[in-house]
């Protein structure tokens, strides 16, 4: 089973978990850009992590996770939605160290920004954490500690064909709970190898790790690569650039071509399209405003 998000819990304990395996979704994210392996792996880990995290939330909307730094790998952005869609991209310049940790790739001052944008009304939430832990998983674990959320452990891996992750979370204690369950399950999960994370279906992996525990695995949810770009959004961006800049590109190129960095889709505006872009902004007919 591919491109799945699995929920599971350990009966009679306060420990729950999520497992994600991205296959076609991950390949779609890699389709338009030839990422070097050390860049690709960080992007894959962040993509798997974002699906795991939004999978733990009772929330309708989008989770954006950005890793930023002044190192050779300068930006990794992933957006995952409560509809189980995800997209992501990375930017880098020069060689990115293959055996360095996350801080060596992204720079000493690198950090993660997590943004939750509700689909309906409601407050956008943002949190920031440094990359001191040296990996995407440890940065996110640190984020959970600092923001005083539920204790959470995360394991992540990516290669050229899969991005996978496992998350364990300790829910608030209730009476008669098994007090050792958290330490025991974390200890068992810590034996997980990248090969298992990237090669085993959820049920096999959970059995291999936790066959001495009573694991209850729920029906999988399916994850898809989906990009939220549109001609309308590109048009808005071009209006923001201003008529003069768009006209200059038209004069030079004969058309304005904008490609989406997430999915590679190209949006082309010719002279007539451009005229319409700005015609709509005229005070006579539009409620559109520009700044
Ligand atoms: Zn797109």
């Amino acid at each position: 089973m591919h491109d799945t998000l699995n929920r599971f819990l350990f009966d009679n304990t306060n420990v729950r978990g999520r497992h994600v395996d991205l296959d076609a979704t991950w390949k779609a994210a890699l389709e338009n850009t030839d990422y070097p392996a050390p860049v690709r792996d960080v992007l894959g880990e962040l993509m798997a992590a974002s699906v795991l995290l939004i999978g733990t939330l009772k929330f309708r909307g989008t989770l954006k996770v950005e890793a930023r730094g002044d190192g050779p790998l300068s930006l990794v952005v992933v957006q995952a939605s409560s509809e189980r869609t995800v997209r992501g991209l990375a930017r880098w310049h020069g060689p990115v160290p293959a055996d360095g940790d996350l801080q060596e790739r992204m720079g000493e001052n690198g950090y993660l920004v997590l943004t939750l944008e509700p689909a309906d009304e409601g407050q956008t939430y943002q949190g920031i954490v440094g990359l001191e832990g040296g990996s995407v998983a440890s940065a996110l674990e640190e984020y959970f500690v600092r923001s005083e959320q539920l204790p959470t452990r995360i394991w992540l891996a990516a290669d050229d064909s899969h991005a996978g992750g496992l998350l364990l979370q300790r829910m608030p204690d209730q009476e008669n709970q098994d007090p050792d369950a958290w330490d025991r399950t974390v200890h068992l999960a810590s034996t997980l190898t990248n090969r298992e994370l990237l090669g085993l279906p959820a049920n096999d992996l959970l059995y291999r790790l936790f066959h001495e525990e009573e694991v209850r695995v729920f029906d999988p949810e399916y994850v898809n690569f989906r990009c939220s770009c549109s001609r309308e959004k590109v048009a808005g961006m071009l209006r923001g650039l201003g008529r003069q800049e768009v006209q200059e590109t038209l004069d030079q190129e004969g058309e304005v071509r904008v490609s989406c960095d997430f999915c590679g889709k190209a949006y082309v505006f010719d002279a007539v399209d451009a005229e319409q872009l700005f015609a709509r902004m005229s005070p006579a007919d539009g409620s559109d405003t520009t700044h």
Side-chain angles (χ1 to χ4, degrees):
M1 202 65 79
H2 298 307
D3 289 305
T4 50
L5 173 65
N6 279 278
R7 291 191 301 133
F8 60 94
L9 55 77
F10 299 92
D11 276 338
N12 305 312
T13 78
N14 58 351
V15 183
R16 67 172 186 174
R18 298 287 183 274
H19 171 267
V20 66
D21 176 15
L22 301 179
D23 177 337
T25 301
W26 175 225
K27 286 172 190 143
L30 296 180
E31 206 170 79
N32 296 298
T33 311
D34 194 11
Y35 291 113
V39 174
R40 177 200 68 201
D41 293 353
V42 175
L43 175 60
E45 290 187 9
L46 207 62
M47 218 150 154
S50 303
V51 176
L52 288 174
L53 293 184
I54 202 160
T56 64
L57 301 173
K58 279 200 167 65
F59 165 83
R60 242 172 52 77
T62 309
L63 167 69
K64 183 161 81 173
V65 187
E66 286 168 273
R68 292 183 174 273
D70 52 9
L73 175 54
S74 53
L75 175 70
V76 187
V77 186
V78 173
Q79 274 182 313
S81 80
S82 52
E83 310 306 305
R84 307 291 173 246
T85 66
V86 65
R87 64 175 188 167
L89 64 81
R91 297 234 188 286
W92 76 100
H93 49 87
V96 179
D99 44 10
D101 69 13
L102 186 58
Q103 239 180 337
E104 285 168 66
R105 294 179 200 183
M106 301 208 69
E108 290 295 310
N109 301 314
Y111 56 93
L112 276 186
V113 186
L114 290 90
T115 310
L116 271 178
E117 290 170 348
D120 331 304
E121 290 154 34
Q123 205 101 41
T124 294
Y125 168 85
Q126 197 163 68
I128 297 181
V129 68
L131 301 179
E132 286 83 0
S135 71
V136 173
S138 56
L140 289 169
E141 288 170 355
E142 180 63 20
Y143 166 75
F144 275 88
V145 172
R146 289 209 195 157
S147 55
E148 296 183 4
Q149 298 190 39
L150 299 169
T152 303
R153 293 294 312 271
I154 299 172
W155 294 264
L156 301 166
D159 63 13
D160 59 355
S161 60
H162 283 264
L166 181 78
L167 173 149
L168 291 181
Q169 201 160 54
R170 181 179 173 174
M171 305 303 285
D173 282 311
Q174 288 165 15
E175 280 184 45
N176 299 324
Q177 293 285 10
D178 172 355
D180 299 324
W182 174 247
D183 288 345
R184 212 170 54 235
T185 49
V186 166
H187 180 73
L188 291 169
S190 300
T191 65
L192 185 62
T193 64
N194 283 1
R195 184 191 284 258
E196 288 170 331
L197 203 46
L198 297 173
L200 288 180
N203 283 318
D204 295 357
L205 180 139
L206 295 175
Y207 180 78
R208 183 171 294 189
L209 291 177
F210 304 120
H211 55 87
E212 287 165 14
E213 306 287 326
E214 285 178 52
V215 192
R216 183 190 300 259
V217 186
F218 297 92
D219 286 342
E221 296 178 69
Y222 297 96
V223 182
N224 288 301
F225 181 91
R226 193 189 300 154
C227 194
S228 54
C229 67
S230 69
R231 189 170 175 86
E232 219 165 46
K233 286 184 188 171
V234 173
M237 188 272 290
L238 292 176
R239 283 194 200 101
L241 280 180
R243 180 168 225 150
Q244 194 182 339
E245 196 158 325
V246 170
Q247 191 58 51
E248 279 169 15
T249 309
L250 274 175
D251 292 346
Q252 285 163 16
E253 319 274 338
E255 62 184 21
V256 180
R257 174 178 286 266
V258 180
S259 295
C260 174
D261 290 328
F262 286 97
C263 70
K265 186 167 179 181
Y267 297 91
V268 180
F269 292 76
D270 64 14
V272 176
D273 297 328
E275 197 56 47
Q276 282 172 352
L277 276 180
F278 294 102
R280 269 196 243 149
M281 281 170 57
S282 68
D285 93 20
S287 54
D288 284 0
T289 53
T290 182
H291 301 281

